[in-house]
Amino acid sequence: MTNSIDEIAGADFILAIGTNTTETHPVIALQVKKAVRQGAKLAVIDPRVTKLAELADYHLQLNPGTDCALLNGLANVIIAEELWDKDFVAHRTEDFASFRQWVSGYTPQYVERVTGIPADVIYKLAREYAGAENAAILYTMGLTQHISGTANVHAVANLAMLCGQVGKKHSGVNPLRGQNNVQGACDMGALPDVLTGYQKVTSDEVRAKFARAWKVDTLPASAGLTVGEMMAGTQKGCIKAMYIVGENPVLSDANAGDVKEALQKLDFLVVQDIFLTETARLADVVLPAASFAEKEGTFTNTERRVQKVRKAIAPMGRARADWEIICLLAGAMGYTMNYQSPAEIMDEIASLTPSYGGISHARLEKGSLQWPCPNKDHPGTPVLHKEKFVRGRGKFHRAEYIPPQELPDQEYPLLLCTGRRLYHYHTGTMTLRTGALEKYYPGEYLDVNPIDARKWKLTPGCRVRVISRRGEVELVVRITDTIPPGMVFTSFHFPEVPINNLTNPAQDPIAKIPELKVCSVRLELL
Amino acid sequence: MSTITLTINGQQVTVPAGSTILKAAEKLGVFIPTLCHHPQLTAVASCRICVVEVTFKGRKKLVPACMTGAQDGMEVETESAAVVESRRTILELLLANHPQDCLTCGQNGDCRLQDYAFRYNVPGAGFSGERHAYKIEDDNPFIIRDMNKCILCGRCVRMCAEIQGDGVIDFAHRGFNTKISTAMDLPLSKSECVFCGNCAAVCPVGALQEKGLRSSARTWEVKKVKTICPYCGTGCSIELNVKDGRVVGVTSCDGEVNGPALCVKGRFGYGFIHHPDRLTTPLIKKNGRFVEASWEETISLVAEKLTGIKNDHGPDALAVLSSARCTNEENYLLQKFTRAVLGTNNIDHCARL
Ligand code: SF4
Ligand code: SF4
């Protein structure tokens, strides 16, 4: 997030795109609801009628996967009607001239045809967004899990820059991250192309710095493989062994059937986790890890806030904290990792990572810090890009609309969208074992619109087989008009409903995010 | 900023203009009991337990401290005879219609009614009269709702409306029959309730209790450890309630991100920690079956295999998936291990999913 969670309530206009916030980030949704109570306008862009959509002044139930066209349409109107922030664009951005030119093709009439949103709504929304004092944009996977994910994100940034809605309070471009430390995992360089703090592995200088600190002669210089590429590499036989820590790709990845097959091809698979997950079952060796309650450390939340995780109990049985296991393994492979505590590891992180430079466990004991926090006297940074963007000027990126890769046709006439439920989390490994959440929400449904229910002769509670080009699952039908006609929806929380056997692994070419939000399916009544 | 100076129990105190008497007393560390008041919710001054005796411009009267603005030259007595008398009457009225089952109540030890009854020596019902006989609502796995214990302070109503923003519950009926109720008086499980439990967190008595927590430990037996929720990326602060080395519940504290609020996962989703399915020993697959192994054996096997594959096929034949649920320190070490020890940049995590 460019801004902080508590600033959302102070916005006068909130544009929420592809985020079912009340279920996926319930406590952030409290800020949105508060803003609405205080009179802010809320616009929700989502094909489904979410709780947030019910609260909204504008609910744009667009055709799935057409967000980019809609956002460009808004920018088009704002430019055509001279509503943009000329001062901000002149002083803080670049490539406006070309932006103006290519975005001119996104007339409200064209956008109406693509998105299904009436042109007059596009005009109205564009004027409201441009006229707002402080407008905040929120988005999640509904925007990014598309083959056009990167273009979608650029289109959002373009819109915010056009109206000068970045770099000040109560505004900004705010992706809400799904998992508790996904921000931190990225910051720490658990990515194939960057080390900590997004320092490029391809930079000689960066590698030299890390090699010196880590006391090794060289570090690999070319970017590694992403998850999707690893699985493909495994299929082809180039990847021989994998070490998977705390992830369950057999359920979470697109076209999960292939993932399982790929992992079975490995010569050697090590899985480190707190439960024997569907992925761990395939392993040659399973290492028992400590849960969050059993270790010290830090998590970084979606607003870049680094917070202290504290040990409350001892690890179960002979389980050990992940950091201790990694140290053991490194030692056995002839490389000494000798840390007394996670606090010591954080000191090393701070010494190598400018944005975490001022962060230490001792400081965090007194309160959290939002990065960038470059030195030990720096108070942290609640709002990013205040005086300038990290790269200097904000660039208007070309973000052309591309339709989803697989759309309904005669053979597979319905569009399947996947997401999350309030009572569950990710692949259900934790939430299905709480003694409470799974009692209240014990099984999954396929949400179907009444019109489609009539068409396919479905009754509430009947069982159907959902079939895509890649796989099939069985589900119980729930009939609800929160889903638009032509779409069906379910979650990926339940192992007995491995919905990602059906989803489309087609990826966004840059961010490599699979198109989990759109694929086509047909139903068979059981 | 303009300020106000007043006297509380003979001590002078200066506070910003607009402060209440309660705020001024807090600044001095002077205790004033409260039931309906909560610092993050609007003040309603309905319970009157916070009455204090104020002498101002020559006139003396009892006023609620939570809602009365401090004024220059005010003289406040927080425990005068009239104040104590008034508080005792309020407590007697509340206790007259309150089940006296403190021995088995899950809230025992963390109950304001109990604390104030002790402080003002109100042993039990001074009045005897009609009592409620509401059915206890425990058909959901999260919250037990016992309206017989409700003192109608309305904190839960304001919490649900003002912080949770859902307005699921409200006052219904009048007089003796006044009750906190959902629309149509349905159980929470049949209402729009999302089981955030934020109402239970602010209930000053035992009317709304966290089901798991309050049935597994006495309130004084738990040690609270402040940490961060293991679920979504919001990063709410939670307190793990620990008894005998087991996490028996979660409570909210004043988190930097979330204040007093949590969602159903953060507050009630802790049971996995002690689930019998937890892995407790390293496992090695032999002839298609997992067998328990020692750390030494397992680690040397993994080291040997990874080294062997690296030597035979090069470092890029190895790949590592890190976790968005591990700590920063662990993610850092894992990428360091991948790059410095395995010698490849093949590391990623499921951020994209
Ligand atoms: S649990 Fe949450 S939603 Fe339900 S009544 Fe209480 S505050 Fe309202
Ligand atoms: S309590 Fe709920 S909103 Fe807060 S971090 Fe946990 S899952 Fe997210």
Side-chain angles (χ1 to χ4, degrees):
Chain A
M1 290 171 76
T2 58
N3 291 59
S4 299
I5 292 169
D6 68 356
E7 292 172 34
I8 298 171
D12 342 58
F13 190 94
I14 297 171
L15 179 59
I17 314 170
T19 161
N20 178 15
T21 326
T22 60
E23 296 201 58
T24 58
H25 299 81
V27 170
I28 295 181
L30 305 190
Q31 297 291 324
V32 180
K33 291 190 260 185
K34 186 169 172 196
V36 171
R37 284 201 303 280
Q38 293 172 348
K41 285 271 167 61
L42 171 64
V44 170
I45 301 181
D46 200 315
R48 294 196 293 146
V49 189
T50 57
K51 274 264 158 59
L52 215 54
E54 286 174 9
L55 286 179
D57 299 279
Y58 298 91
H59 177 204
L60 283 66
Q61 247 179 315
L62 79 181
N63 296 329
T66 62
D67 309 72
C68 185
L70 180 59
L71 294 162
N72 289 342
L74 296 174
N76 175 302
V77 173
I78 290 167
I79 295 174
E81 298 195 351
E82 299 278 331
L83 302 173
W84 42 294
D85 185 336
K86 298 186 177 89
D87 197 49
F88 189 91
V89 169
H91 295 104
R92 298 283 310 271
T93 69
E94 63 189 32
D95 289 351
F96 176 69
S98 86
F99 173 59
R100 178 177 206 154
Q101 203 180 11
W102 67 256
V103 93
S104 67
Y106 290 84
T107 61
Q109 292 67 30
Y110 165 71
V111 174
E112 171 171 344
R113 280 199 302 281
V114 173
T115 61
I117 303 298
D120 64 309
V121 176
I122 297 170
Y123 280 113
K124 262 204 227 145
L125 183 62
R127 289 171 193 148
E128 288 246 25
Y129 179 78
E133 182 77 23
N134 293 304
I137 300 179
L138 313 178
Y139 67 85
T140 59
M141 302 295 191
L143 190 74
T144 54
Q145 286 178 344
H146 291 285
I147 51 165
S148 57
T150 303
N152 291 353
V153 170
H154 283 154
V156 168
N158 290 345
L159 184 63
M161 286 192 299
L162 184 64
C163 297
Q165 294 292 3
V166 231
K168 56 175 187 172
K169 278 198 103 160
H170 314 299
S171 70
V173 174
N174 300 293
L176 311 179
R177 312 297 305 254
Q179 302 184 59
N180 67 344
N181 201 34
V182 66
Q183 181 69 52
C186 294
D187 298 346
M188 291 302 109
L191 290 169
D193 56 340
V194 289
L195 288 132
T196 62
Y198 309 93
Q199 304 176 74
K200 294 252 177 264
V201 295
T202 46
S203 153
D204 296 338
E205 210 179 307
V206 166
R207 282 198 321 280
K209 172 173 97 173
F210 278 87
R212 222 176 306 123
W214 292 349
K215 302 193 174 62
V216 290
D217 297 335
T218 55
L219 286 169
S222 54
L225 305 179
T226 61
V227 191
E229 290 164 346
M230 286 176 196
M231 296 305 163
T234 305
Q235 288 278 18
K236 279 191 253 137
C238 338
I239 299 289
K240 301 284 183 198
M242 274 186 86
Y243 178 21
I244 301 181
V245 178
E247 291 283 2
N248 193 9
V250 167
L251 281 189
S252 63
D253 284 22
N255 198 5
D258 282 0
V259 170
K260 187 167 177 183
E261 203 185 292
L263 294 178
Q264 279 164 333
K265 284 204 176 137
L266 288 167
D267 290 351
F268 190 63
L269 173 62
V270 192
V271 174
Q272 182 168 312
D273 212 315
I274 64 173
F275 289 110
L276 197 62
T277 60
E278 291 67 21
T279 304
R281 280 175 215 284
L282 305 176
D284 298 287
V285 171
V286 177
L287 302 171
S291 78
F292 82 108
E294 297 147 29
K295 61 191 180 189
E296 297 284 325
T298 56
F299 287 150
T300 304
N301 82 347
T302 187
E303 49 172 0
R304 299 166 280 106
R305 185 186 297 277
V306 187
Q307 305 192 91
K308 191 77 212 308
V309 175
R310 295 186 184 83
K311 179 172 174 170
I313 54 170
M316 298 295 115
R318 293 192 284 138
R320 293 193 178 186
D322 292 285
W323 66 271
E324 292 176 292
I325 304 175
I326 300 162
C327 289
L328 279 178
L329 194 53
M333 291 182 73
Y335 182 91
T336 313
M337 282 192 186
N338 203 357
Y339 301 97
Q340 295 313 305
S341 68
E344 211 181 310
I345 305 173
M346 182 52 86
D347 293 341
E348 184 173 315
I349 296 168
S351 72
L352 289 164
T353 316
S355 54
Y356 277 69
I359 296 179
S360 67
H361 281 210
R363 270 190 89 182
L364 294 176
E365 275 306 329
K366 291 185 223 111
S368 63
L369 289 164
Q370 282 172 282
W371 67 257
C373 175
N375 59 60
K376 66 179 191 340
D377 302 314
H378 193 283
T381 310
V383 182
L384 281 186
H385 314 308
K386 254 198 169 147
E387 262 78 54
K388 60 181 182 54
F389 290 97
V390 178
R391 62 188 299 276
R393 279 173 174 257
K395 182 176 163 67
F396 283 100
H397 283 275
R398 187 157 188 153
E400 300 278 9
Y401 161 68
I402 331 165
Q405 203 238 12
E406 184 182 86
L407 282 168
D409 53 21
Q410 274 198 321
E411 208 183 335
Y412 297 93
L414 289 165
L415 186 145
L416 169 71
C417 178
T418 63
R420 297 164 192 252
R421 307 282 190 194
L422 172 63
Y423 294 95
H424 288 286
Y425 178 73
H426 220 61
T427 62
T429 317
M430 288 145 64
T431 51
L432 290 170
R433 292 184 174 91
T434 60
L437 298 166
E438 74 280 19
K439 282 197 184 146
Y440 195 69
Y441 199 102
E444 196 42 287
Y445 302 92
L446 183 73
D447 293 338
V448 183
N449 180 279
I451 294 175
D452 294 313
R454 265 198 300 281
K455 200 148 129 202
W456 314 99
K457 304 203 170 28
L458 310 177
T459 49
C462 72
R463 285 188 75 80
V464 289
R465 187 172 294 132
V466 190
I467 307 164
S468 83
R469 289 190 172 80
R470 291 155 295 273
E472 54 183 65
V473 295
E474 285 180 19
L475 270 160
V476 175
V477 166
R478 174 160 66 187
I479 298 174
T480 162
D481 52 15
T482 60
I483 305 298
M487 178 193 266
V488 291
F489 178 89
T490 193
S491 82
F492 64 110
H493 299 310
F494 290 79
E496 60 273 24
V497 187
I499 195 70
N500 281 321
N501 285 345
L502 279 65
T503 49
N504 190 352
Q507 287 179 351
D508 172 79
I510 299 161
K512 309 278 168 72
I513 300 179
E515 188 150 66
L516 294 180
K517 292 295 176 196
V518 183
C519 77
S520 50
V521 295
R522 65 188 160 88
L523 306 181
E524 266 174 22
L525 195 59
L526 289 170
Chain B
M1 203 196 327
S2 64
T3 57
I4 278 166
T5 302
L6 67 164
T7 314
I8 300 180
N9 299 348
Q11 275 177 279
Q12 276 214 340
V13 59
T14 301
V15 290
S19 304
T20 59
I21 297 176
L22 183 64
K23 267 257 169 268
E26 268 167 22
K27 190 171 173 195
L28 276 179
V30 169
F31 171 82
I32 296 176
T34 57
L35 289 169
C36 67
H37 172 81
H38 186 280
Q40 265 119 344
L41 303 172
T42 50
V44 289
S46 66
C47 75
R48 316 301 280 194
I49 198 84
C50 69
V51 286
V52 290
E53 188 167 311
V54 168
T55 313
F56 188 52
K57 297 194 175 144
R59 292 173 56 191
K60 215 178 217 189
K61 55 180 187 175
L62 292 181
V63 299
C66 72
M67 203 122 102
T68 309
Q71 310 252 11
D72 262 322
M74 252 184 183
E75 282 174 35
V76 180
E77 284 296 327
T78 65
E79 298 277 337
S80 69
V83 165
V84 170
E85 167 79 25
S86 162
R87 288 186 189 152
R88 295 196 69 201
T89 310
I90 292 168
L91 290 168
E92 279 169 4
L93 284 166
L94 288 174
L95 287 169
N97 182 26
H98 192 90
Q100 273 148 45
D101 64 349
C102 298
L103 282 180
T104 49
C105 179
Q107 209 67 36
N108 188 2
D110 186 12
C111 169
R112 294 206 177 184
L113 191 54
Q114 212 180 43
D115 293 347
Y116 301 160
F118 173 79
R119 183 181 174 104
Y120 296 105
N121 191 24
V122 183
F127 306 90
S128 60
E130 220 184 327
R131 282 175 173 270
H132 291 299
Y134 297 123
K135 208 173 142 291
I136 296 174
E137 182 183 317
D138 69 345
D139 65 336
N140 71 75
F142 311 113
I143 300 170
I144 298 189
R145 207 161 160 260
D146 182 352
M147 288 300 104
N148 300 303
K149 291 183 179 166
C150 175
I151 57 166
L152 297 173
C153 68
R155 277 186 179 204
C156 57
V157 173
R158 279 171 288 145
M159 173 52 101
C160 192
E162 296 172 12
I163 291 186
Q164 179 56 26
D166 285 350
V168 173
I169 42 178
D170 205 347
F171 288 88
H173 312 297
R174 293 166 151 262
F176 177 75
N177 292 321
T178 309
K179 185 186 173 192
I180 307 294
S181 159
T182 61
M184 315 299 292
D185 207 5
L186 294 168
L188 291 176
S189 59
K190 302 272 174 340
S191 74
E192 292 286 300
C193 173
V194 292
F195 294 105
C196 61
N198 293 329
C199 53
V202 294
C203 179
V205 297
L208 299 170
Q209 298 186 23
E210 299 86 350
K211 199 173 201 171
L213 172 60
R214 302 297 169 208
S215 64
S216 50
R218 314 310 309 266
T219 54
W220 56 88
E221 290 174 321
V222 295
K223 189 181 92 191
K224 294 184 187 229
V225 179
K226 187 173 171 183
T227 187
I228 304 300
C229 174
Y231 291 110
C232 87
T234 305
C236 297
S237 295
I238 58 174
E239 280 172 344
L240 295 175
N241 286 230
V242 181
K243 179 190 169 186
D244 301 334
R246 288 181 68 86
V247 175
V248 293
V250 164
T251 44
S252 38
C253 42
D254 202 15
E256 286 181 73
V257 177
N258 54 311
L262 289 175
C263 82
V264 65
K265 289 186 285 285
R267 194 182 297 280
F268 298 111
Y270 54 86
F272 73 90
I273 298 171
H274 295 281
H275 194 278
D277 288 353
R278 279 289 304 273
L279 291 166
T280 55
T281 169
L283 300 171
I284 297 176
K285 203 177 260 168
K286 291 181 180 158
N287 303 320
R289 296 223 349 248
F290 283 120
V291 293
E292 298 191 358
S294 70
W295 274 107
E296 295 68 36
E297 182 190 357
T298 315
I299 289 291
S300 44
L301 174 71
V302 175
E304 183 192 312
K305 286 280 184 184
L306 294 181
T307 309
I309 290 170
K310 180 179 167 181
N311 291 342
D312 294 350
H313 302 279
D316 289 337
L318 304 171
V320 176
L321 275 188
S322 190
S323 174
R325 286 180 293 265
C326 285
T327 62
N328 287 324
E329 291 77 2
E330 290 164 343
N331 273 290
Y332 170 79
L333 277 198
L334 194 57
Q335 62 90 34
K336 177 176 179 180
F337 171 79
T338 308
R339 295 182 160 118
V341 184
L342 299 183
T344 175
N345 280 317
N346 290 343
I347 175 159
D348 199 2
H349 65 282
C350 295
R352 300 174 178 83
L353 307 172

